[in-house]
């Protein structure tokens, strides 16, 4: 099945750290093939890439990330002594403002939503107005890595904690199709086994509430306690977050199905491997072509 070119698109960009560079490749494929992106909903890296695109700065951002080395990344990280995350994110905010300036979301040429999570209230926060840079910073606050972002008295963290692929903000869009990019798809080496696996037990739905509650409790603890200076702890926490986000994403996508779903394996790239931008951009382009090209099929 081939999707008609020229259609307007609501683009949903999921969370997943450095895997999010695949979003750039997806956007390139859509534009090269005549699709009009009129709405973007994103969380975490999806909010960042989507925000750069909505502000008309994606080309500049891509040029920068393709040239970034691992040493450059670490130079941007400012330690938070006694905070609720390894890094304060102030240097990152300066970098963000270099790209998006002081743009307001309501002044962007396309609809834009950044999704963050208020873990104290246990709810999603949809940021659709105010400073674009602030919305992005709130949405990319990966638990334990960046300090939480204070917004109207609430401490906000990565939106992927509660909704890794935020389709819901696009439900009232007047676009022709919704295309979602899930960065916590089945692991590459397990794909064949996953496709051949027997049906999951009927009570699997109980995994989601229990898993979300455990995750929310752990994030609350991270936000309220002094930072633990042990990268091993972060590695374990990040792996756990990836696994739980994959489960949450699967259930969320069952409730809110996009017209087309592009899945990026959650082990295609490490969450912090930001020096692999070029590789992931090409990977995203290929995945968009596979999903939406001549042989692409609806999910």
């Amino acid at each position: 099945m081939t999707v008609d070119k020229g259609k307007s698109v609501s683009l949903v960009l999921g969370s997943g750290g450095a895997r999010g560079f695949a979003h750039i490749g997806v956007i390139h494929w859509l534009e090269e093939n005549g699709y009009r992106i009129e709405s973007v909903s994103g969380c975490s890296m999806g909010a960042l890439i989507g925000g750069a695109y909505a502000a008309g700065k994606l080309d500049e951002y891509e040029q920068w990330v393709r040239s970034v080395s691992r040493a450059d990344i670490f130079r941007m990280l400012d330690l938070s002594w006694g905070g609720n995350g390894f890094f304060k994110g102030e240097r990152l905010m300066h970098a963000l403002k270099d790209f998006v300036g002081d743009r307001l979301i309501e002044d962007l040429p396309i609809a834009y939503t950044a999704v963050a999570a208020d873990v104290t209230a246990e709810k999603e926060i949809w940021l659709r107005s105010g400073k674009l840079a602030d919305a992005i910073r709130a949405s990319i606050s990966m638990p334990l890595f960046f300090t939480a972002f204070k917004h109207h008295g609430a401490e906000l963290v990565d939106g992927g904690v509660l909704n890794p692929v935020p389709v819901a903000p696009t439900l009232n869009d007047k676009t022709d199709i919704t295309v979602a990019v899930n960065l916590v798809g089945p692991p590459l080496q397990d794909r064949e086994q996953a496709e051949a696996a027997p049906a999951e037990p009927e009570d699997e739905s109980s995994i989601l509430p229990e898993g979300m509650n455990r995750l929310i409790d752990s994030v609350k603890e991270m936000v309220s306690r002094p930072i633990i200076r042990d990268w091993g702890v972060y590695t374990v926490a990040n792996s756990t977050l990836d696994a739980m986000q994959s489960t949450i994403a699967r259930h969320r996508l069952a409730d809110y199905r996009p017209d087309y779903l592009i899945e990026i394996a959650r082990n295609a790239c490490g969450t912090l491997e930001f020096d692999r931008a070029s590789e992931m951009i090409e990977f995203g382009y290929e995945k968009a072509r596979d999903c939406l090209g001549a042989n692409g099929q609806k999910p």
Side-chain angles (χ1 to χ4, degrees):
M1 177 183 294
T2 304
V3 183
D4 293 336
K5 295 180 180 179
K7 284 192 172 183
S8 58
V9 175
S10 290
L11 185 60
V12 180
L13 303 177
S15 66
R19 291 188 299 278
F21 290 131
H23 294 324
I24 299 176
V26 171
I27 291 171
H28 285 330
W29 192 93
L30 289 170
E31 290 195 321
E32 289 176 13
N33 286 274
Y35 299 97
R36 305 187 314 277
I37 301 171
E38 297 185 355
S39 168
V40 175
S41 170
C43 64
S44 195
M45 195 64 166
L48 196 163
I49 301 295
Y53 176 78
K57 297 293 185 178
L58 187 60
D59 288 344
E60 293 177 35
Y61 178 75
E62 179 183 354
Q63 183 178 8
W64 178 68
V65 298
R66 282 184 181 270
S67 66
V68 164
S69 66
R70 188 165 297 185
D72 293 329
I73 296 297
F74 280 101
R75 276 195 289 269
M76 289 184 60
L77 300 178
D78 41 3
L79 286 172
S80 173
W81 302 104
N84 51 43
F86 278 109
F87 304 103
K88 292 179 289 186
E90 292 178 0
R91 293 177 188 168
L92 180 63
M93 282 296 292
H94 288 308
L96 279 175
K97 289 179 178 178
D98 284 343
F99 287 107
V100 303
D102 288 322
R103 299 287 297 273
L104 298 177
I105 294 174
E106 52 266 42
D107 294 337
L108 297 174
I110 65 174
Y112 173 82
T113 304
V115 177
D118 180 343
V119 294
T120 301
E122 300 183 13
K123 65 179 182 180
E124 295 176 38
I125 302 295
W126 294 1
L127 300 169
R128 292 176 147 170
S129 63
K131 291 185 178 180
L132 175 60
D134 287 348
I136 294 172
R137 173 62 179 85
S139 187
I140 65 173
S141 301
M142 295 192 307
L144 194 59
F145 190 74
F146 283 122
T147 56
F149 184 80
K150 292 185 178 180
H151 179 76
H152 297 314
E155 290 192 312
L156 305 184
V157 300
D158 190 327
V161 167
L162 296 178
N163 194 353
V165 192
V167 176
T170 69
L171 293 180
N172 292 324
D173 289 350
K174 304 302 182 182
T175 52
D176 296 318
I177 60 172
T178 300
V179 177
V181 185
N182 176 24
L183 300 180
V184 285
L188 286 172
Q189 69 268 29
D190 293 335
R191 187 172 298 276
E192 291 183 4
Q193 294 93 317
E195 291 174 349
E200 295 171 335
E202 292 182 0
D203 65 351
E204 191 212 6
S205 60
S206 64
I207 295 174
L208 180 60
E210 180 183 353
M212 287 182 68
N213 288 335
R214 288 200 307 269
L215 183 57
I216 289 169
D217 288 343
S218 65
V219 173
K220 282 181 180 177
E221 185 179 356
M222 291 172 189
V223 168
S224 63
R225 73 186 180 192
I227 183 172
I228 298 174
R229 303 200 175 280
D230 182 348
W231 281 102
V233 171
Y234 175 76
T235 300
V236 172
N238 186 62
S239 297
T240 302
L241 185 62
D242 270 353
M244 296 189 71
Q245 281 189 337
S246 181
T247 299
I248 295 169
R250 187 165 65 251
H251 285 265
R252 288 282 191 160
L253 289 167
D255 291 334
Y256 302 105
R257 292 181 64 84
D259 295 297
Y260 291 87
L261 176 64
I262 299 169
E263 293 213 86
I264 306 297
R266 63 178 180 268
N267 64 344
C269 173
T271 302
L272 302 181
E273 292 184 296
F274 292 102
D275 54 328
R276 296 176 61 186
S278 294
E279 174 188 345
M280 291 308 300
I281 291 170
E282 298 307 315
F283 189 56
Y285 186 95
E286 293 170 3
K287 285 295 185 179
R289 180 191 60 207
D290 292 344
C291 180
L292 291 155
N295 298 316
Q297 299 293 320
K298 285 194 174 185

